[in-house]
Amino acid sequence: MTKKIKLLFAICIFVCTSKSFSQSFSNASEYLDFVAAEQEEIQKRMWNYTKALAHSKSDRNINNKRKSLIKTTEEAIAKIEKADGYDGDDYKNKVLKHMRLNESLLKNDYAEIVDMKEVAEQSYDLMEAYILAQELADEKMKESQLEYETNFYAFAAKNNINIIESESDLGKKMEISNEVFQHYNKMYLIYFKVYINEVYLMDALNNQDVSAIQQNANALSQSAKEGLEILKTVETYKNDNSIVESTKSAFEFFIDEADNQVPKLVDFLILNGDFETIKTTLEKTPERKRTKEQVDTYNKKVKELNKGVKTYNNTNQELNKNRQIAINNLNTTNENFLARHIPKD
């Protein structure tokens, strides 16, 4: 018996489902059709999930797509379990193993990834772990898919079924998506390793901790300069250097912030600290015992402080404006990069 079946392959994360009710099969071809026919449907579900990751700003929407995929997988498992296998249950059990692994990944690994995202912004290590978890889960699903394909071919060969290989449009889109996300994640980690130092710097500024400010400003400057060197060696995706250029602009802002602007803020904080010390000493000194030198020093510091307040406020305003421009530009660039390279249809 020879039959040609067009097998739709998805490169990344796919499981098999069936719309059939419980049934028996008169030959291997029917059973292979039963197992393979629903793959395109699950591909569409997976593609919806991938599109949400790439194009949706709503975590809720992304998670809903994952839950929808889980439901489809659960239904597929029930259908395969209910239907008879062909020539025993060996191949049926291999299909179910593949599907249950994917179900477990979607319910556990990807659910954990959703939780990890909530804290990933707190440190570089957490962000790196979050991205690594995504990549590991994707790799497990890819390996499961390859095992499924191997078993599919083996079953077909055993039963003299000729398979015509052809990659589906969805499969090609998933392959493209994997490549795009790999580049995107690589670029984001380069950026985040620098950016997290600015987060720490902002915390130190809010706490007016001069020592911590100086320490974190130095770390920010050094990491941004190292980042610029790394960007020189980065391979672009399809000659699209938009993320590289936007990241470079952000790093240049961080360097200027750390090297040129933060010292102005530190000078004011030191000045303000000196003023508070002088003011406290003067206030504790009875009026009749205050010396002319004390009063003159106090008055001089008041003038310096008033001038310093203006510089401090102007510097902060300029930093806030330029920071927002740099970060908004990078965010927009990232969104446009994904939209440009990951198909929507």
Side-chain angles (χ1 to χ4, degrees):
M1 175 180 62
T2 301
K3 180 179 178 181
K4 294 185 177 181
I5 296 177
K6 183 176 289 188
L7 180 62
L8 302 177
F9 282 121
I11 301 303
C12 183
I13 315 168
F14 295 121
V15 294
C16 312
T17 66
S18 174
K19 294 178 181 175
S20 303
F21 294 100
S22 176
Q23 63 187 92
S24 297
F25 304 91
S26 60
N27 57 59
S29 298
E30 287 183 4
Y31 190 70
L32 209 57
D33 280 338
F34 168 73
V35 171
E38 299 301 322
Q39 188 169 357
E40 186 173 7
E41 180 63 27
I42 198 66
Q43 287 178 325
K44 291 177 181 177
R45 297 276 186 176
M46 190 62 231
W47 180 238
N48 287 338
Y49 179 55
T50 300
K51 284 193 296 181
L53 287 172
H55 303 297
S56 176
K57 297 180 181 179
S58 169
D59 290 342
R60 182 178 179 181
N61 180 45
I62 293 171
N63 205 33
N64 285 340
K65 298 293 185 185
R66 181 182 66 86
K67 290 179 179 178
S68 175
L69 184 55
I70 289 172
K71 183 178 179 181
T72 301
T73 306
E74 290 173 336
E75 292 172 350
I77 290 173
K79 292 172 185 176
I80 297 293
E81 285 178 331
K82 187 176 181 181
D84 294 334
Y86 181 80
D87 192 22
D89 287 341
D90 180 60
Y91 179 60
K92 171 181 175 178
N93 290 335
K94 288 176 180 177
V95 172
L96 286 171
K97 176 187 173 184
H98 164 72
M99 295 172 64
R100 286 171 181 145
L101 173 60
N102 284 275
E103 178 192 21
S104 175
L105 287 170
L106 288 165
K107 284 184 174 180
N108 300 310
D109 294 53
Y110 283 94
E112 184 179 348
I113 288 168
V114 172
D115 293 336
M116 291 175 71
K117 184 179 181 181
E118 295 180 2
V119 298
E121 297 283 343
Q122 295 179 7
S123 74
Y124 176 77
D125 287 343
L126 289 174
M127 180 58 71
E128 187 177 39
Y130 165 66
I131 290 177
L132 179 60
Q134 286 181 306
E135 293 175 347
L136 287 176
D138 289 348
E139 186 62 27
K140 288 178 184 177
M141 279 201 165
K142 182 178 179 180
E143 290 174 359
S144 178
Q145 174 65 21
L146 291 174
E147 183 179 358
Y148 161 74
E149 293 170 9
T150 299
N151 293 330
F152 187 100
Y153 277 116
F155 182 82
K158 178 182 177 182
N159 292 279
N160 298 316
I161 301 172
N162 187 29
I163 304 296
I164 300 175
E165 296 184 32
S166 73
E167 217 176 349
S168 70
D169 289 340
L170 288 174
K172 292 177 182 178
K173 289 175 183 177
M174 291 302 299
E175 183 178 16
I176 292 170
S177 298
N178 285 345
E179 294 173 354
V180 173
F181 276 119
Q182 284 177 2
H183 179 75
Y184 173 85
N185 288 339
K186 179 181 179 181
M187 291 303 305
Y188 189 75
L189 274 180
I190 293 172
Y191 165 75
F192 192 81
K193 191 171 187 178
V194 178
Y195 167 75
I196 194 64
N197 288 294
E198 210 231 10
V199 173
Y200 298 149
L201 175 59
M202 292 300 103
D203 289 341
L205 281 167
N206 290 333
N207 294 327
Q208 298 188 359
D209 185 336
V210 171
S211 177
I213 292 169
Q214 293 173 326
Q215 179 180 348
N216 286 296
N218 289 336
L220 176 60
S221 176
Q222 181 178 345
S223 63
K225 290 171 183 175
E226 291 172 355
L228 286 178
E229 292 302 311
I230 293 172
L231 291 179
K232 293 178 182 179
T233 66
V234 168
E235 292 186 13
T236 60
Y237 179 78
K238 293 189 179 299
N239 295 318
D240 186 341
N241 68 341
S242 58
I243 296 182
V244 173
E245 290 300 317
S246 291
T247 303
K248 179 182 176 183
S249 295
F251 288 174
E252 288 171 346
F253 163 76
F254 291 145
I255 292 170
D256 179 64
E257 176 184 40
D259 291 351
N260 303 317
Q261 308 308 320
V262 168
K264 298 176 186 178
L265 304 180
V266 170
D267 287 345
F268 172 77
L269 293 177
I270 293 173
L271 175 63
N272 188 55
D274 292 343
F275 171 76
E276 290 298 327
T277 299
I278 293 171
K279 179 183 177 184
T280 299
T281 301
L282 186 65
E283 288 176 345
K284 289 181 178 179
T285 304
E287 229 179 286
R288 68 179 188 282
K289 291 186 177 182
R290 294 174 184 173
T291 65
K292 182 177 183 300
E293 182 180 359
Q294 280 182 306
V295 174
D296 288 346
T297 299
Y298 174 80
N299 290 333
K300 180 182 178 182
K301 283 296 178 183
V302 169
K303 292 180 181 179
E304 291 178 0
L305 189 67
N306 289 335
K307 182 179 179 181
V309 167
K310 184 177 181 181
T311 300
Y312 181 85
N313 289 337
N314 288 341
T315 301
N316 256 330
Q317 289 174 6
E318 193 68 16
L319 278 175
N320 290 338
K321 182 185 76 172
N322 292 334
R323 180 184 302 107
Q324 201 63 47
I325 290 173
I327 292 177
N328 285 348
N329 180 52
L330 182 57
N331 287 339
T332 300
T333 298
N334 285 338
E335 291 171 8
N336 290 339
F337 177 85
L338 293 176
R340 187 160 52 247
H341 294 293
I342 295 182
K344 290 185 179 181
D345 298 324

